[in-house]
Amino acid sequence: MIKYDLRISFTDAQLEAIYATNSNVIVAKPTEDSEANVAWQVFKPLQSNSLTWEEQYGIYVSTTSAASGARLEQLSSVPVGAAPDKLYTLLPSGVISGPAEGGAPDAFALQNKYQVNPYMTVGLYQNATVNGVDILGNALSAAPVLEASTAIMTPFTTVYVWLQSRIESNTIVTTVASPMTELKFGGGVDTIQTSYDTTTGKFLINQG
């Protein structure tokens, strides 16, 4: 299983400004059917920071509306290690069945047959380790899915990083108030080292 490592460094002066403004490092990941609209990982930085993860995913369903700041409460889920190319089904009982045939190539699929609510919020979640601390089960995507409809979720290895205050992990983010930096993993790139640039508010890739 491929493991990715994002390393982020700050100067002392930058850390002082970050803490004075109560800002955090925000990391989000897009999927093919959704922009990076969930704060996957949020943390207070140190001088040197490391975020690592493996390309394994779980699937969750929630009744949480996809409104800005909403915390995603996972009510039913498929454990990390869900099978791509297969179809999972949220049954009327609230149980998720599968995997079964009928999915989509290189994607995770869940059909909503839950009849209690007019729609359910469906997404992927992924475990990570932030500065040596395991963070389990944080969502990285969220999309409303009507009854009888199917969510097709294709994860990307790209991540977005920025600084912002008043955002928590595992919550919906609809407004980004700071410059976002796109970092592309995959294709032989499994480690990226960055440093924060105060002038642009973005993260610069350190070469070599």
Side-chain angles (χ1 to χ4, degrees):
M1 186 58 58
I2 300 175
K3 185 175 183 178
Y4 294 120
D5 185 2
L6 171 60
R7 301 175 186 176
I8 306 173
S9 62
F10 297 91
T11 66
D12 289 346
Q14 289 170 343
L15 288 177
E16 289 176 359
I18 288 169
Y19 277 75
T21 56
N22 197 31
S23 297
N24 296 303
V25 176
I26 319 294
V27 182
K29 297 183 68 180
T31 58
E32 187 174 57
D33 63 319
S34 175
E35 296 179 352
N37 64 342
V38 176
W40 175 45
Q41 302 295 333
V42 178
F43 60 93
K44 284 289 187 187
L46 302 169
Q47 283 183 332
S48 298
N49 306 271
S50 177
L51 168 64
T52 61
W53 67 95
E54 293 182 345
E55 279 303 285
Q56 288 188 304
Y57 298 88
I59 305 171
Y60 76 92
V61 295
S62 175
T63 55
T64 305
S65 297
S68 182
R71 175 171 288 278
L72 293 161
E73 300 291 342
Q74 300 178 13
L75 302 182
S76 294
S77 62
V78 178
V80 168
D85 311 323
K86 301 292 184 180
L87 177 67
Y88 292 86
T89 302
L90 178 63
L91 301 174
S93 63
V95 173
I96 297 178
S97 68
E101 297 302 317
D106 302 316
F108 298 87
L110 183 138
Q111 185 177 31
N112 178 19
K113 291 187 177 181
Y114 191 65
Q115 300 170 345
V116 176
N117 292 341
Y119 70 90
M120 295 293 283
T121 296
V122 180
L124 299 176
Y125 69 93
Q126 189 174 30
N127 299 331
T129 301
V130 179
N131 291 338
V133 178
D134 292 335
I135 309 295
L136 305 179
N138 278 4
L140 61 86
S141 68
V145 180
L146 291 169
E147 183 183 348
S149 294
T150 300
I152 305 295
M153 300 163 286
T154 304
F156 290 159
T157 53
T158 298
V159 301
Y160 290 91
V161 187
W162 71 97
L163 297 179
Q164 193 164 332
S165 62
R166 297 189 295 277
I167 291 180
E168 298 180 357
S169 294
N170 205 47
T171 60
I172 300 290
V173 179
T174 58
T175 301
V176 175
S178 302
M180 299 174 71
T181 302
E182 180 184 36
L183 300 172
K184 294 183 177 181
F185 288 87
V189 177
D190 55 17
T191 299
I192 295 178
Q193 299 189 37
T194 70
S195 55
Y196 182 66
D197 181 63
T198 303
T199 302
T200 63
K202 303 192 78 170
F203 293 86
L204 306 180
I205 296 178
N206 301 333
Q207 304 295 332

